[in-house]
Amino acid sequence: MKFIGSHVLSVDQFDRDAIEHVFRIADIMEPYAHRRKRTRVLDGAILGNLFFEPSTRTRVSFGTAFNLLGGEVRETTGMESSALAKGESLYDTARVLSSYSDIIAMRHPKAGSVAEFAEGSRVPVINGGDGANEHPTQALLDLYTIEKELSHHGRSVDGMHICMIGDLKYGRTVHSLSKLLCMFNQIRFTFVSPPELAMPDSIVDALERAGHRVDRVEALNGSLDADIVYQTRIQQERFASQEEAAQYRGRFRLNSEIYTRHYKPNTVIMHPLPRDSRAEANELDNDLNQNPNLAIFRQADNGVLIRMALFALTLGVEHLVSRYDTDV
Ligand code: CP
C-alpha cells in the first residue's frame, strides 16, 4: 500500500503488511505522545479537522496527534456552521478547504460522504467516520489495542475469540474492525444482537469466506471462552425514531456480575466509546472501572498514536520524526 499522498477512507485499502507498518510507526510515536520528547516534523503544516457529526475522541485525538507532530489545526464542527447548510456540495467544499490545509480529517453522518468529499480534495483525506459505514482509524486503534492486550496473555490475533455485542447494524466501528480482521487467521466471532440490529450479511459472508467461524446469537448464554468482549452503544442517532432506539437500550449490559458469569477472568473488555451511561442504557457499567481487563481508556490513548502514525505516513515524514525532535 502506498501511504504518501493517499486518502484513508476504508479498511479495505489495507493489507497485513500495511497494518503492521502503521503499528510500528505508532510504536515510534509513543515518547512524543507521552511528552518525553518533542518533534516539530510537521512545523508549518495545517490539518483541516472537519467534524459534521458529534465527536469527542476522534476529533480531539486527530487534533492532538497533529499538534504533537508540530502542526496546526483548523477546525469546523457542526453542519450548521458551515456552508454545507447553504446547499454547497461536498465537492466544492473539498476543493476550497483542500487549498487551506495539507491534510483533512473528516466525519459526516452520511455513508459514503467522506469518499465523495475526497474526490474534490487536492490533499489526503482521512475518514473519521461516515454514517453507519466505516471508521477506519478506530478499527486500526482497536486492532492495535487487541494485539497489545493479548500479548500480555501470550496470545495473538490469529486464533482469538472475539465477542461483539449490541448494535452491530449501525455500529461502524464493528464493521470496520470485522473487515480488518478478515486479513487474519482462524478467528472465532460471536455476534450478540437482536436480529434487527445484526451484523450486515455482507460482513458475515466476508468473514466466513476468510475462513473464520461466526456464531450469531440474540443473548449471552452460559460461559463464553472469549479473549475479547467488544461492547457497543445503541446508535440512537441512526434510528428512524427515538422510540425505536429505546426498545434496544439496556438489553446488552455488561457489569461485574455479568462479566464474572459469562467471561474468563482475563477477557479483555473493549468499547469504542462513548459509552451511554444513562441508567436505561448503561451498556458498560462503572463497576468495571477498576477491573484491570478494562481496556477502554488504553484504547482511546492508542488513538493518538495511530493517528500520529497515519499523518506521518500520508505526509511522508515518518522517517524524519526523530530528526526534528528534542528531549522534554
Ligand atoms: N470512538 C469514537 O469515534 O468516539 P467519538 O464519537 O467521541 O469520536
Side-chain angles (χ1 to χ4, degrees):
M1 174 181 173
K2 173 182 155 286
F3 283 100
I4 188 162
S6 296
H7 303 306
V8 178
L9 301 174
S10 164
V11 292
D12 293 337
Q13 293 170 245
F14 291 81
D15 56 24
R16 254 181 106 152
D17 285 345
I19 293 167
E20 281 312 312
H21 191 45
V22 173
F23 289 1
R24 296 303 65 87
I25 303 297
D27 292 342
I28 291 168
M29 298 301 176
E30 213 166 311
Y32 306 99
H34 295 155
R35 319 296 197 272
R36 293 195 298 278
K37 285 185 169 183
R38 272 203 197 105
T39 179
R40 304 293 306 165
V41 71
L42 288 184
D43 192 16
I46 294 175
L47 164 69
N49 210 21
L50 313 180
F51 274 71
F52 299 116
E53 196 182 50
S55 168
T56 296
R57 273 143 294 275
T58 312
R59 179 175 63 82
V60 178
S61 67
F62 268 125
T64 300
F66 210 73
N67 286 150
L68 285 167
L69 291 167
E72 295 195 21
V73 182
R74 296 281 175 273
E75 219 162 63
T76 296
T77 54
M79 206 82 81
E80 67 290 346
S81 59
S82 95
L84 291 172
K86 301 177 190 171
E88 185 169 56
S89 69
L90 287 168
Y91 183 89
D92 284 2
T93 306
R95 286 290 292 188
V96 172
L97 293 185
S98 59
S99 76
Y100 302 164
S101 318
D102 297 280
I103 190 163
I104 289 172
M106 179 176 166
R107 172 174 289 187
H108 191 285
K110 190 169 146 240
S113 54
V114 182
E116 188 184 333
F117 178 93
E119 282 171 22
S121 175
R122 288 168 284 186
V123 299
V125 175
I126 303 184
N127 184 356
D130 60 322
N133 184 36
E134 275 224 39
H135 196 343
T137 63
Q138 177 75 39
L140 287 166
L141 76 88
D142 285 346
L143 182 57
Y144 185 68
T145 305
I146 291 171
E147 267 195 15
K148 282 189 166 186
E149 297 289 326
L150 291 185
S151 71
H152 300 319
H153 306 297
R155 304 240 29 209
S156 67
V157 177
D158 290 321
M160 74 170 176
H161 178 188
I162 184 167
C163 183
M164 296 184 181
I165 303 190
D167 184 352
L168 307 184
K169 176 181 179 184
Y170 295 119
R172 59 192 169 203
T173 70
V174 285
H175 298 169
S176 289
L177 178 57
S178 298
K179 286 166 75 175
L180 209 52
L181 290 171
C182 282
M183 290 166 227
F184 290 75
N185 300 316
Q186 305 217 310
I187 298 175
R188 182 175 166 198
F189 290 82
T190 301
F191 292 138
V192 186
S193 73
E196 310 88 274
L197 299 184
M199 182 64 82
D201 288 341
S202 59
I203 294 178
V204 173
D205 291 347
L207 290 169
E208 288 178 339
R209 273 198 309 277
H212 301 314
R213 170 178 164 183
V214 180
D215 296 307
R216 294 205 252 194
V217 296
E218 289 183 40
L220 288 176
N221 189 11
S223 126
L224 277 175
D225 191 29
D227 298 295
I228 307 283
V229 53
Y230 192 110
Q231 289 286 124
T232 64
R233 177 178 65 87
I234 299 298
Q235 307 280 299
Q236 61 202 28
E237 60 276 31
R238 314 244 180 264
F239 284 78
S241 71
Q242 287 311 298
E243 292 70 33
E244 192 190 344
Q247 291 173 40
Y248 303 105
R249 229 177 261 132
R251 268 209 217 174
F252 298 99
R253 294 172 192 271
L254 183 60
N255 57 29
S256 288
E257 186 272 317
I258 295 168
Y259 179 79
T260 307
R261 185 149 36 104
H262 292 291
Y263 297 102
K264 301 188 286 193
N266 61 5
T267 298
V268 177
I269 304 163
M270 296 179 65
H271 190 303
L273 302 179
R275 53 178 159 170
D276 186 343
S277 56
R278 290 171 290 189
E280 66 272 24
N282 199 23
E283 71 263 1
L284 185 52
D285 197 283
N286 283 332
D287 75 356
L288 284 160
N289 282 358
Q290 304 310 318
N291 186 314
N293 299 307
L294 187 78
I296 58 174
F297 299 117
R298 296 191 286 276
Q299 224 177 319
D301 290 350
N302 288 335
V304 173
L305 301 177
I306 291 294
R307 291 176 177 121
M308 287 177 83
L310 288 171
F311 284 138
L313 285 161
T314 48
L315 293 172
V317 299
E318 74 281 7
H319 56 294
L320 297 175
V321 172
S322 62
R323 195 183 296 176
Y324 290 88
D325 77 9
T326 49
D327 288 328
V328 173

